[in-house]
Short mmCIF file of all heavy atoms in Angstrom, two decimals:
data_model
loop_
_atom_site.label_atom_id
_atom_site.label_comp_id
_atom_site.label_asym_id
_atom_site.label_seq_id
_atom_site.Cartn_x
_atom_site.Cartn_y
_atom_site.Cartn_z
N GLN A 33 152.61 -98.64 -135.12
CA GLN A 33 153.73 -97.77 -135.53
C GLN A 33 153.41 -96.31 -135.19
O GLN A 33 154.24 -95.56 -134.66
CB GLN A 33 154.03 -97.87 -137.03
CG GLN A 33 154.75 -99.11 -137.44
CD GLN A 33 153.77 -100.21 -137.87
OE1 GLN A 33 152.63 -100.28 -137.36
NE2 GLN A 33 154.20 -101.09 -138.77
N LEU A 58 169.23 -74.22 -113.93
CA LEU A 58 169.92 -74.76 -112.76
C LEU A 58 171.41 -74.93 -113.02
O LEU A 58 172.23 -74.66 -112.16
CB LEU A 58 169.31 -76.11 -112.33
CG LEU A 58 167.98 -76.01 -111.61
CD1 LEU A 58 167.47 -77.40 -111.25
CD2 LEU A 58 168.12 -75.19 -110.29
N GLU A 104 184.19 -53.64 -104.52
CA GLU A 104 184.75 -52.40 -105.09
C GLU A 104 184.95 -51.33 -104.02
O GLU A 104 185.93 -50.61 -103.97
CB GLU A 104 183.84 -51.88 -106.22
CG GLU A 104 184.08 -52.64 -107.50
CD GLU A 104 183.00 -52.45 -108.55
OE1 GLU A 104 182.02 -51.68 -108.27
OE2 GLU A 104 183.09 -53.04 -109.61
N SER A 242 208.45 -23.81 -104.19
CA SER A 242 209.20 -22.62 -104.73
C SER A 242 210.59 -22.60 -104.12
O SER A 242 211.55 -22.31 -104.81
CB SER A 242 208.43 -21.34 -104.41
OG SER A 242 207.24 -21.33 -105.12
N GLY A 299 214.50 -35.21 -102.30
CA GLY A 299 213.51 -35.80 -101.38
C GLY A 299 212.06 -35.64 -101.81
O GLY A 299 211.18 -35.92 -101.06
#
Side-chain angles (χ1 to χ4, degrees):
Q33 284 93 329
L58 282 180
E104 281 165 0
S242 293

